[in-house]
Amino acid sequence: MYKLTHEKHQAKYIGQDMMEFLANAKFEDLPAEVVTRAKHVVVDGIAVMLAGRKTREMFDITWDHMAPVGDVTPVGCNFKTTAAMAAFLNAAHAQTHDYNDGLNNSGMLGGAYHPGRTVVSTALAVGQKVHASGKDILLAVVLGIEAAARMRNPSHDSTVADIYSSAVVAAKLMGANAKQIFSACTLAGHLSVGLKSKSTGYVSPATDGKAAGSTANVIKYAYLNRTGVEAAEFAMLGYEGPGLNDNNAIASRYYTCGLGKEYQCMDMYFKPWPCCRKTHGAIAAALALREEHGVKAEDIEAIRIFQQTTGMYVNTPINAEMDINFGGQFSLQYTVSCVFLDGNVELRHYRWPDRKAPQKYVDFAKKIKVLPDNGLDGYNAISPNHGIVEVDLKSGETLSMYCQYPLGSEPNGMTEEQRIAKLRTCAEDMTEAQKDEMVNWIMNLDQIAAL
């Protein structure tokens, strides 16, 4: 008869496998393609921070006056502050435009949607503070993305994943062991803003029924970054958090399958247009209609956009009073208007002097109807951002274009050259020589001895 035996073992605390992996991981463990992807994540992260910083300066809505004196320079700024406040500002600038990178499937499973706004922002801030090497920065970015994707919240609110990833990046760069990384995470979760409910996002209803911009999302992620850094600082001083309310046997918070073998940064995408990814299928389809069929704005009678039902939150009609800097990023009507009127969607379309769209965009957008199409749901799981644009011409002809894989969506991801071109475009206040120096610095980060 089989005899059941019991081995004595020490019970692990919640998440110990994850924390030990994060603490013990070394740069030399990373495959070459993961190192290259980490550099691209840094390229894109710095690009969107520079773009956001420029926009906030133009609108005079910076938080510079809140920054205490320190020894860390936030990306794109000309002053020094603390590491925690630099992480705050970096994240705020990265979140100003919906132009940041993303994890393809993480957010739907409770992980982070856009890890770069957190991990790159924190890594550059804390990396300066501790004079980290370029290898340290790249490793911290990779591990931060692991935390962002794998430390999932069962309630499917990505907030915990974002703040844990900031705490992980900061603690790793501070030289934390597994227990200290765990404490940084538990303290960050305990001190975090926004854990009880999801953010309202960029667009919220105004009292008069018109769409209005909401900056809650920007402030939220800025504070998550700042809190993650401060939590790591407390953890390094010996403070401990209240623990995590999971059970290892049933927890969905920690996804450890393939840990150390399947790096989550390889599942990331990068955006070619400064607006919500759910608008990209329609943008690409509209561009194809314009380029392949020569469709001109003045020849159009009406436009119908067929959108998957899960992406109808970007159905935001624009008006003359709307804050286009925020609301326009989540508007199929506005983004497609920009394509037909100007041939592309660019940062300038969110930087009108009074933050209001010129009347020609408001008028043209009235021709556009967005229709939910459940036939697009559940199809094309690799790139769930496809779309159909149908145009009625004044001549009586109707043209239709379906885009399955808009640029930035696998298998049509942006090339290295396109990612670098995006950085150079966003670094608009730099000379060409300065841009060259920045690109060379990032792409050779693993050769940098110390920040």
Side-chain angles (χ1 to χ4, degrees):
M1 179 180 292
Y2 178 77
K3 184 178 180 180
L4 181 64
T5 59
H6 297 273
E7 294 182 4
K8 292 183 178 180
H9 64 280
Q10 181 180 2
K12 292 186 175 183
Y13 59 79
I14 302 300
Q16 185 170 344
D17 289 340
M18 174 68 74
M19 303 306 158
E20 290 178 350
F21 163 73
L22 295 171
N24 296 328
K26 298 180 177 60
F27 178 83
E28 291 70 27
D29 299 332
L30 303 179
E33 64 270 20
V34 172
V35 173
T36 299
R37 178 53 63 92
K39 292 176 181 178
H40 292 171
V41 174
V42 175
V43 164
D44 199 79
I46 292 178
V48 296
M49 288 180 223
L50 291 173
R53 174 63 182 180
K54 176 68 173 181
T55 298
R56 293 196 166 274
E57 286 181 331
M58 292 174 67
F59 293 153
D60 194 25
I61 49 175
T62 69
W63 292 285
D64 296 0
H65 63 284
M66 296 172 56
V69 176
D71 50 7
V72 176
T73 304
V75 173
C77 299
N78 58 4
F79 60 87
K80 293 183 181 295
T81 185
T82 63
M85 191 60 189
F88 175 102
L89 292 171
N90 287 345
H93 298 154
Q95 190 66 8
T96 293
H97 295 286
D98 204 66
Y99 205 7
N100 36 25
D101 60 33
L103 280 163
N104 279 311
N105 300 304
S106 176
M108 298 301 294
L109 299 172
Y113 285 94
H114 306 291
R117 65 189 173 193
T118 300
V119 300
V120 179
S121 297
T122 302
L124 294 177
V126 178
Q128 284 186 64
K129 176 68 177 179
V130 302
H131 303 293
S133 69
K135 289 181 179 180
D136 293 336
I137 295 294
L138 293 171
L139 176 61
V141 166
V142 170
L143 297 182
I145 295 168
E146 291 295 296
R150 295 177 180 275
M151 295 177 71
R152 297 171 176 171
N153 182 6
S155 69
H156 286 208
D157 181 353
S158 65
T159 299
V160 291
D162 284 293
I163 198 166
Y164 287 169
S165 63
S166 176
V168 164
V169 169
K172 182 68 177 180
L173 288 170
M174 294 175 189
N177 58 33
K179 190 63 182 296
Q180 290 167 325
I181 295 177
F182 175 79
S183 294
C185 289
T186 59
L187 284 165
H190 181 61
L191 300 172
S192 174
V193 297
L195 284 180
K196 298 300 182 183
S197 63
K198 293 187 178 183
S199 167
T200 57
Y202 281 116
V203 181
S204 59
T207 55
D208 60 1
K210 297 176 181 177
S214 168
T215 56
N217 201 299
V218 175
I219 299 172
K220 169 184 172 180
Y221 287 101
Y223 269 105
L224 289 177
N225 258 29
R226 175 176 168 178
T227 304
V229 174
E230 291 174 341
E233 292 173 335
F234 280 121
M236 298 304 289
L237 293 173
Y239 288 88
E240 298 180 1
L244 299 170
N245 296 323
D246 276 348
N247 182 310
N248 267 339
I250 61 173
S252 60
R253 188 183 297 275
Y254 300 101
Y255 168 62
T256 57
C257 179
L259 194 62
K261 298 178 181 179
E262 300 173 3
Y263 288 92
Q264 303 301 298
C265 64
M266 303 305 294
D267 191 38
M268 292 180 66
Y269 64 85
F270 303 92
K271 294 181 181 179
W273 299 293
C275 46
C276 181
R277 192 185 183 205
K278 290 296 184 181
T279 67
H280 288 198
I283 289 173
L287 282 169
L289 283 169
R290 179 184 168 96
E291 295 167 6
E292 296 178 23
H293 296 278
V295 176
K296 298 179 181 179
E298 58 268 27
D299 298 330
I300 296 174
E301 184 70 32
I303 299 173
R304 289 171 296 281
I305 300 173
F306 296 93
Q307 181 79 345
Q308 57 192 139
T309 61
T310 55
M312 285 299 289
Y313 63 88
V314 293
N315 173 26
T316 308
I318 66 170
N319 56 64
E321 290 77 34
M322 169 182 209
D323 185 337
I324 207 67
N325 173 241
F326 298 107
Q329 300 176 50
F330 290 80
S331 171
L332 283 163
Q333 291 88 330
Y334 183 61
T335 52
V336 170
S337 294
C338 293
V339 171
F340 284 116
L341 289 170
D342 299 329
N344 210 344
V345 184
E346 301 172 340
L347 285 168
R348 65 188 176 94
H349 290 115
Y350 306 99
R351 290 174 168 174
W352 303 114
D354 58 358
R355 296 164 63 176
K356 312 297 183 187
Q359 192 62 42
K360 71 172 185 176
Y361 298 92
V362 176
D363 292 340
F364 189 86
K366 293 176 182 177
K367 299 182 179 184
I368 301 173
K369 289 185 178 180
V370 179
L371 304 170
D373 185 346
N374 57 19
L376 295 173
D377 293 348
Y379 173 67
N380 190 23
I382 295 176
S383 177
N385 302 291
H386 49 172
I388 300 170
V389 174
E390 194 171 84
V391 176
D392 293 337
L393 300 178
K394 293 178 180 178
S395 65
E397 184 181 8
T398 295
L399 298 173
S400 181
M401 183 66 66
Y402 167 59
C403 176
Q404 184 175 14
Y405 300 113
L407 181 61
S409 299
E410 298 299 337
N412 189 25
M414 294 175 70
T415 65
E416 179 175 308
E417 290 73 19
Q418 289 171 324
R419 295 166 189 168
I420 291 176
K422 173 180 174 178
L423 171 61
R424 298 180 73 93
T425 298
C426 291
E428 53 202 289
D429 289 338
M430 292 185 181
T431 65
E432 291 304 309
Q434 289 172 327
K435 293 178 184 180
D436 290 341
E437 183 179 359
M438 176 176 59
V439 170
N440 183 66
W441 182 84
I442 298 172
M443 298 309 294
N444 291 282
L445 254 179
D446 48 340
Q447 306 300 317
I448 304 297
L451 268 65

